Amino acid sequence: MKKILIVEDEVELANNISEILSDLEYQVAAIVNSAPSALRFLEGNEVDLVLMDILIQGDLDGIDLAYQIREKYNLPIVFSTAYSGTEYLERISSDIHEGYLLKPFTLDSLKTAVFFGLKRHAEKLAKESKSSGWLKIMDKGYLVPVPFSEVVYLKADGLYTRVFTKAKSYLVRDILKSFEEKLPAVSFLRVHKSFLVNTAYIASFNAKRINVGDTSVPIRRGLYKELMERMSV
């Protein structure tokens, strides 16, 4: 379930948005009303999207906050505002948001803005990963760029995926199929419904198991012949 941080200083509206998002099967991580409270929350919590009003309490408005969030976290941001004047629009770079929701909004417009905000961000990450040769992993609030060549194998763990690299392992809140789409098919092979391996690290294999470094993983039925051809054995 995707977690959403709401940055909104109108209490009644914030609660209404929270109820709608919950009905849409999103998890509201928190409701905050200012830039400092948003930044404090993000320091110790993971979220998947920030839904943010432009006019919020404090010296920093939502646009200023968005730039600060982008400096520290790779999170999608959807703005919500009752103002459409050029004084705001000219300050908003396309690099700092994935959507713009004009108040008053309907349930459908909120649903669409959040859905496409998450989708655009996921597509952007996938494109960046494929073009750069790096897998971008969020770990304890930090973005860790991991070269494809350093990834040994990945294991599905429910709605999470464990990414095993030469140096350490990471637990990432994303399904294995999403990683399969990001990683180059020429180097990575889905050997089992729960495992995706970097063929460069395959030490040995038979019709039932593959040894990847010091780890043995199962092989899906019918893959042995394809693996023989891939490894040119």
Side-chain angles (χ1 to χ4, degrees):
M1 184 180 293
K2 298 293 185 181
K3 294 182 180 180
I4 298 176
L5 173 64
I6 299 173
V7 185
E8 171 64 62
D9 61 357
E10 294 183 37
V11 177
E12 185 175 348
L13 177 58
N15 290 332
N16 186 33
I17 293 173
S18 178
E19 290 180 8
I20 294 173
L21 291 175
S22 296
D23 289 340
L24 294 173
E25 298 186 348
Y26 293 108
Q27 180 180 343
V28 176
I31 298 173
V32 297
N33 60 9
S34 66
S37 56
L39 292 171
R40 280 195 301 269
F41 182 83
L42 290 172
E43 283 179 3
N45 300 274
E46 291 186 4
V47 303
D48 297 293
L49 179 139
V50 180
L51 179 62
M52 182 154 54
D53 188 14
I54 288 180
L55 295 182
I56 54 178
Q57 290 184 14
D59 296 331
L60 297 179
D61 63 16
I63 301 173
D64 296 322
L65 175 56
Y67 280 103
Q68 291 202 18
I69 290 176
R70 278 292 212 247
E71 288 179 3
K72 294 184 176 181
Y73 310 99
N74 194 10
L75 292 173
I77 295 171
V78 172
F79 285 116
S80 64
T81 182
Y83 301 92
S84 58
T86 56
E87 69 271 22
Y88 294 110
L89 296 178
E90 288 176 352
R91 291 175 56 210
I92 302 176
S93 164
S94 60
D95 293 334
I96 66 163
H97 75 100
E98 279 71 32
Y100 192 91
L101 188 62
L102 193 62
K103 299 177 181 177
F105 48 78
T106 64
L107 185 152
D108 284 340
S109 62
L110 174 60
K111 177 181 178 180
T112 300
V114 171
F115 175 83
F116 281 107
L118 290 165
K119 187 174 187 292
R120 290 188 187 107
H121 186 65
E123 290 173 346
K124 180 182 177 182
L125 288 179
K127 184 177 180 181
E128 289 177 351
S129 293
K130 284 188 175 181
S131 62
S132 66
W134 299 77
L135 191 62
K136 294 176 174 60
I137 296 175
M138 288 302 300
D139 183 45
K140 299 177 182 178
Y142 290 89
L143 183 64
V144 181
V146 179
F148 291 159
S149 60
E150 296 289 312
V151 178
V152 180
Y153 71 99
L154 304 91
K155 180 183 179 181
D157 190 356
L159 296 176
Y160 290 76
T161 297
R162 293 188 180 275
V163 181
F164 295 85
T165 72
K166 293 175 64 176
K168 61 179 293 186
S169 64
Y170 302 91
L171 182 62
V172 184
R173 190 170 64 245
D174 206 350
I175 60 174
L176 185 60
K177 182 175 175 56
S178 177
F179 283 97
E180 187 176 11
E181 293 171 351
K182 298 173 186 176
L183 293 164
V186 67
S187 301
F188 288 83
L189 182 63
R190 188 75 171 263
V191 300
H192 183 269
K193 65 179 181 180
S194 299
F195 289 92
L196 181 67
V197 305
N198 186 338
T199 56
Y201 290 95
I202 294 179
S204 60
F205 62 93
N206 58 29
K208 294 183 178 180
R209 310 287 299 182
I210 296 177
N211 294 316
V212 185
D214 297 327
T215 304
S216 177
V217 304
I219 183 173
R220 61 181 168 83
R221 189 173 182 178
L223 181 67
Y224 182 68
K225 183 178 179 180
E226 178 185 341
L227 191 55
M228 287 277 285
E229 294 174 351
R230 174 75 77 94
M231 303 299 292
S232 300
V233 175

